[in-house]
Amino acid sequence: QVQLVESGGGSVQAGGSLRLSCAASGYTASSYCMGWFRQAPGKERERVAAIYTLSSSTYYADSVKGRFTISRDNAKNTLYLQMNSLKLEDTAVYYCAADLPPCTLTAAPKEYNYWGQGTQVTVSS
């Protein structure tokens, strides 16, 4: 059974930084897509960033390009999201997710097979 456990959320002032982590276990596939999504109150879950573990190809939503960086430590089976220059509109619950192959970096949330429990990120002025 695949398990994803996020950590690293919290409260930060606008302009600050946070790093989210997602520890993964239970995988048997050699390659897969992993992504970070977020959901603010009253809004749909949106894709923030994604990475293909085999090639390290990445995808970023326009709203976070240049500010967020997705990465993965294969030895630790951990996914990261480094978030810099945080804005008020980045406030949301952040989820990591995994999509087994075949997969695409632009897959919709409903196509992802496994999800973590989410971690709250709150950006204040």
Side-chain angles (χ1 to χ4, degrees):
Q1 181 68 21
V2 176
Q3 289 189 325
L4 303 173
V5 180
E6 301 103 333
S7 61
S11 297
V12 64
Q13 287 192 323
S17 298
L18 281 174
R19 188 176 82 155
L20 305 183
S21 300
C22 174
S25 61
Y27 282 106
T28 57
S30 59
S31 63
Y32 34 85
C33 296
M34 294 196 75
W36 286 99
F37 294 79
R38 66 186 181 188
Q39 188 165 18
K43 294 188 176 181
E44 292 187 356
R45 190 167 297 189
E46 64 172 345
R47 183 176 52 246
V48 174
I51 188 168
Y52 184 51
T53 61
L54 190 61
S55 66
S56 294
S57 298
T58 57
Y59 161 88
Y60 294 95
D62 288 342
S63 58
V64 306
K65 275 182 183 176
R67 301 188 298 122
F68 290 12
T69 302
I70 188 171
S71 62
R72 174 171 167 81
D73 185 330
N74 289 331
K76 295 182 179 180
N77 260 353
T78 301
L79 181 73
Y80 301 101
L81 185 68
Q82 177 66 44
M83 305 186 294
N84 298 328
S85 302
L86 282 161
K87 303 177 179 180
L88 298 179
E89 52 264 40
D90 294 319
T91 295
V93 177
Y94 284 71
Y95 300 89
C96 73
D99 189 12
L100 298 176
C103 59
T104 62
L105 296 182
T106 55
K110 65 180 181 180
E111 298 181 44
Y112 276 74
N113 306 102
Y114 304 100
W115 291 85
Q117 82 286 356
T119 185
Q120 177 71 45
V121 171
T122 302
V123 184
S124 60
S125 58

